[in-house]
Amino acid sequence: MCGMVQQLCKVESCDEVAAKTFLLRFASSEITASAQPGQFVNVLAAEAGEGPLLRRPFSIARVDGDIVELFFHAIGTGTLLLSRKRHGETIDVLGPLGQSFRVDADYDTALIVAGGIGVAPFPFLTADLLKRCKRIETFVGYRNAGQILTSHLQNIHIATDDGSKGFHGNVVQLFEPFLDRTDLGKAKIFACGPTVMLKALSELAKRKNICCEVSLEGHMACGVGLCQGCPVERTGDGSKYALVCKDGPIFLTTDIIL
Amino acid sequence: MTASIKNKIKTSFTLRGIEFKNRVFVASGTFGYGDEVRKLVDVSRLGGIFTKSLSWKPRAGNPPQRIVETASGMLNSIGLANIGVHTFIEQKLPYLRKLDTRIIPNIAASSLQEYCDVLELLEEQEGIAAYEINVSCPNVKEGGLNFGTDCSMTGKITASLRKLTNKTLIIKLTPNVTHISEFARTVEAEGADAVSVINTLIGMAIDIKTRKPKLSTVTGGLSGPAIKPVALAKVYEVAKSVKIPVFGVGGIASAEDAIEFLLAGATAVQIGTMNFVDPVISVKIADGLEIYAREHGILDMGTLVGALDADLKFSVLQSWL
Ligand SMILES: Cc1cc2nc3c(=O)[nH]c(=O)nc-3n(C[C@H](O)[C@H](O)[C@H](O)COP(=O)(O)OP(=O)(O)OC[C@H]3O[C@@H](n4cnc5c(N)ncnc54)[C@H](O)[C@@H]3O)c2cc1C
Ligand code: FES
């Protein structure tokens, strides 16, 4: 967390890129200088008294020069306010926060598995993996064709719950047969999405003996380890809980109980 | 803040012989052990740091969900998750004592003996300015009844700890009682040097889709700007009924809020929930107090304490009903 800053950042643009899904771009050379894939930022949606009290956490979706990109679903008060930000307005950002994906581990193929807006951290990860010359296969699952986001991803396999595009079913059902029929060399899974999906995937990874890292969501107040508000149960001895914001949001599935 | 202003305005105050450089502190449980945001916050600009609560053994805390945002505030049920006093002494205190501010450990326990044990162990350490006692903890011996809502128990804890230390003893009072001033008078009589007013208010939130409580513990503690008017009234009530200083705490979000607390009778203020929103807010508030003092020709911040200009005819407590 060495590069953490708190600053007012200028919004470059905020556009609806899929159903209720927004791409927010803002400038911060400090954040782009130190951010690693998997880290997040904690954003104040509005000034004091004009919106919700607490910051909202979002994965860093991509960095592009001095620009930080976030992908988010407008689902509640905070994200609706953010979705109305326009070019030239400012947002108060705290970040980059948390631990990153461990990309330097020993594997040949990176298997990215995302459910819905869980795709958010993966454009950034993909850029990093490409630099490391890893083979990448990306599996994304959405409710329907209207929600699909695939920019800056590699070798994309799509599943939709309603079958309106790609495989008809959930992303884990799409992913499992691929594992069986493809020669991947040594593989590592990187995943983000709803807890039920991560749970199914973590069991699959265990059965197939593949290393699996997930990005978790948790209700947060501070995002930096001050409030102890974001516990996730961990395996093994030692303390019972880890903090999603500080020890995560990236965890090996063998280290936590989903 | 320029040096010339600093020189002119007296911001410091003294408690039991210890000088605090100003009247702005960070509240227990809202600033960790001071190291999480050390790169962002210049803690030397603060009167002191009230640490996360410490118990004898580490406490894992409650299962998720521990946090719920509510209108202008939040509910928490952290469950006093903490590293325990031994780890605190080994891993946190060496760093904390090097900081150019006062360190005030907050002690939480589930028995009278545990309060005493933790304090006695801390007594052997260097670099501690005072103690704050969190009495809003379940008393295991009494079937989980809260110490802090039992006036005689609160008094007993104070008296027992008083015998063990010559350092400043601050009791943090809960507002979840009928008359908080009774508790304040009791701890004053038992030798407390100051009180912190208030701890969180009991609150609750329900998910109407699942019909389940949003917090794993059903109810939790409400904090943030939503409770500021309640906290201010409690500070006013307590400050009028005891002679010992009051640390005002509850929803303070700006220098203006802090000034309200001083006027209501608080000697100093603690910034709590707002640290989660803006980690540097306490320093901004300390700056804001000095700007206010300069603009109003105030030479000693102490002159603001209790300087409320109220028509006493209307200030008979609880007479508005
Ligand atoms: C580390 C991390 C990374 C995230 N990355 C993204 C991302 O890249 N894109 C994205 O769309 N969403 C992401 N989320 C979820 C996002 O933070 C929530 O959607 C957002 O907080 C909702 O705010 P709201 O005011 O619109 O919703 P409301 O429902 O009004 O929020 C009420 C409260 O619940 C909290 N909350 C609601 N949903 C979630 C959730 N899923 N996770 C955590 N807290 C929640 C809010 O922060 C707020 O405190 C991430 C969450 C975490 C913890
Ligand atoms: S959100 Fe505060 S400790 Fe994790």
Side-chain angles (χ1 to χ4, degrees):
Chain A
M1 246 203 286
C2 52
M4 189 210 302
V5 292
Q6 180 188 354
Q7 42 180 218
L8 282 178
C9 301
K10 235 194 191 121
V11 172
E12 187 64 26
S13 61
C14 184
D15 300 305
E16 190 161 2
V17 289
K20 289 198 175 157
T21 309
F22 291 79
L23 169 62
L24 175 70
R25 309 179 85 236
F26 64 88
S28 170
S29 51
E30 287 80 358
I31 294 176
T32 56
S34 71
Q36 298 294 322
Q39 287 191 297
F40 67 102
V41 290
N42 219 358
V43 182
L44 257 188
E47 277 174 42
E50 289 172 9
L53 179 70
L54 300 174
R55 289 170 185 271
R56 298 293 188 257
F58 301 99
S59 306
I60 297 172
R62 206 168 77 91
V63 301
D64 179 12
D66 286 352
I67 301 290
V68 182
E69 294 187 355
L70 310 179
F71 270 133
F72 67 92
H73 262 166
I75 53 151
T77 339
T79 47
L80 278 172
L81 277 168
L82 266 187
S83 72
R84 294 192 200 116
K85 294 284 173 195
R86 289 296 162 258
H87 174 82
E89 291 182 58
T90 54
I91 47 173
D92 182 330
V93 184
L94 183 64
L97 305 175
Q99 308 299 322
S100 56
F101 287 112
R102 273 141 285 195
V103 281
D104 50 3
D106 164 34
Y107 59 93
D108 313 304
T109 307
L111 300 166
I112 294 175
V113 185
I117 196 65
V119 74
F122 294 125
F124 194 10
L125 178 68
T126 298
D128 193 309
L129 292 169
L130 284 174
K131 273 189 233 150
R132 291 164 199 272
C133 301
K134 302 281 186 190
R135 173 178 170 194
I136 306 168
E137 298 288 341
T138 309
F139 300 80
V140 286
Y142 295 97
R143 288 230 178 85
N144 56 57
Q147 294 188 320
I148 293 174
L149 281 174
T150 52
S151 56
H152 304 286
L153 299 175
Q154 292 276 315
N155 302 329
I156 304 157
H157 310 253
I158 294 173
T160 51
D161 291 345
D162 67 357
S164 50
K165 185 156 185 199
F167 174 79
H168 187 172
N170 74 43
V171 70
V172 182
Q173 291 165 335
L174 167 69
F175 177 61
E176 182 166 1
F178 179 88
L179 278 184
D180 296 331
R181 64 168 190 261
T182 319
D183 179 20
L184 300 165
K186 199 153 188 252
K188 176 167 180 177
I189 300 171
F190 299 93
C192 182
T195 309
V196 277
M197 174 205 128
L198 296 182
K199 216 169 167 163
L201 197 64
S202 135
E203 278 154 21
L204 176 65
K206 195 172 166 195
R207 257 189 287 126
K208 305 276 181 189
N209 203 15
I210 304 177
C211 175
C212 180
E213 259 188 342
V214 293
S215 174
L216 294 189
E217 288 185 355
H219 283 258
M220 294 184 174
C222 69
V224 294
L226 295 175
C227 72
Q228 304 279 318
C230 60
V232 55
E233 205 173 331
R234 67 161 149 222
T235 54
D237 314 333
S239 58
K240 184 170 181 200
Y241 296 109
L243 294 178
V244 173
C245 71
K246 203 175 137 191
D247 305 317
I250 311 301
F251 291 98
L252 286 168
T253 48
T254 45
D255 289 346
I256 49 163
I257 301 169
L258 280 166
Chain B
M1 190 67 24
T2 61
S4 66
I5 303 160
K6 254 192 180 157
N7 293 342
K8 264 193 262 157
I9 301 163
K10 181 173 184 256
T11 57
S12 65
F13 71 102
T14 305
L15 237 176
R16 212 182 168 97
I18 296 269
E19 185 177 77
F20 295 88
K21 67 173 75 165
N22 68 33
R23 294 169 192 266
V24 182
F25 294 69
V26 282
S28 175
T30 66
F31 208 70
Y33 300 102
D35 49 353
E36 284 82 357
V37 286
R38 61 170 175 265
K39 297 233 166 64
L40 293 180
V41 188
D42 178 5
V43 294
S44 75
R45 302 289 326 282
L46 301 177
I49 297 173
F50 287 81
T51 73
K52 175 88 198 136
S53 285
L54 295 166
S55 47
W56 183 252
K57 287 195 185 140
R59 288 176 66 134
N62 293 327
Q65 187 175 336
R66 290 182 181 174
I67 297 278
V68 179
E69 182 167 354
T70 56
S72 298
M74 59 177 264
L75 288 165
N76 86 75
S77 73
I78 306 300
L80 299 170
N82 80 90
I83 56 175
V85 67
H86 297 89
T87 310
F88 171 77
I89 289 168
E90 279 159 34
Q91 293 178 13
K92 303 291 180 182
L93 195 55
Y95 159 75
L96 283 169
R97 74 162 68 92
K98 279 192 227 132
L99 299 176
D100 180 20
T101 192
R102 298 293 187 191
I103 303 304
I104 305 156
N106 176 292
I107 302 175
S110 43
S111 69
L112 178 59
Q113 190 58 47
E114 188 183 355
Y115 279 109
C116 295
D117 291 345
V118 174
L119 185 134
E120 280 195 289
L121 194 61
L122 289 169
E123 273 292 279
E124 297 164 15
Q125 314 303 320
E126 304 260 308
I128 289 168
Y131 302 103
E132 183 182 57
I133 311 305
N134 181 359
V135 290
S136 305
C137 306
N139 179 352
V140 171
K141 275 210 182 116
E142 300 289 328
L145 215 77
N146 201 299
F147 289 112
T149 55
D150 177 339
C151 200
S152 70
M153 201 61 220
T154 304
K156 209 162 144 187
I157 294 171
T158 311
S160 307
L161 296 177
R162 178 75 289 165
K163 289 195 197 101
L164 299 176
T165 183
N166 271 321
K167 290 204 179 103
T168 300
L169 194 58
I170 306 162
I171 312 295
K172 187 167 188 176
L173 300 178
T174 169
N176 302 310
V177 295
T178 310
H179 295 296
I180 196 170
S181 46
E182 268 175 40
F183 289 73
R185 277 195 296 268
T186 301
V187 302
E188 180 181 43
E190 297 296 353
D193 299 299
V195 285
S196 297
V197 175
I198 57 177
N199 211 322
T200 56
L201 288 150
I202 294 174
M204 180 170 172
I206 299 171
D207 182 334
I208 60 166
K209 275 193 229 118
T210 60
R211 302 190 179 185
K212 288 187 198 310
K214 288 191 179 172
L215 289 174
S216 64
T217 50
V218 185
T219 59
L222 180 66
S223 64
I227 72 164
K228 196 198 94 185
V230 179
L232 198 58
K234 297 295 172 194
V235 164
Y236 177 63
E237 179 185 338
V238 168
K240 291 211 318 176
S241 48
V242 294
K243 293 200 179 62
I244 53 176
V246 177
F247 284 83
V249 49
I252 298 173
S254 64
E256 289 78 6
D257 290 347
I259 293 160
E260 281 192 74
F261 276 80
L262 298 183
L263 292 173
T267 291
V269 295
Q270 297 177 13
I271 315 305
T273 298
M274 289 308 290
N275 289 313
F276 302 152
V277 180
D278 180 356
V280 296
I281 195 150
S282 51
V283 173
K284 290 180 188 163
I285 289 173
D287 281 348
L289 284 181
E290 289 185 32
I291 291 167
Y292 175 86
R294 184 183 53 198
E295 284 174 358
H296 291 80
I298 293 162
L299 295 177
D300 179 354
M301 296 301 290
T303 58
L304 283 174
V305 175
L308 178 73
D309 180 10
D311 188 340
L312 289 180
K313 198 161 75 243
F314 293 115
S315 80
V316 181
L317 286 170
Q318 278 142 13
S319 66
W320 68 89
L321 289 176

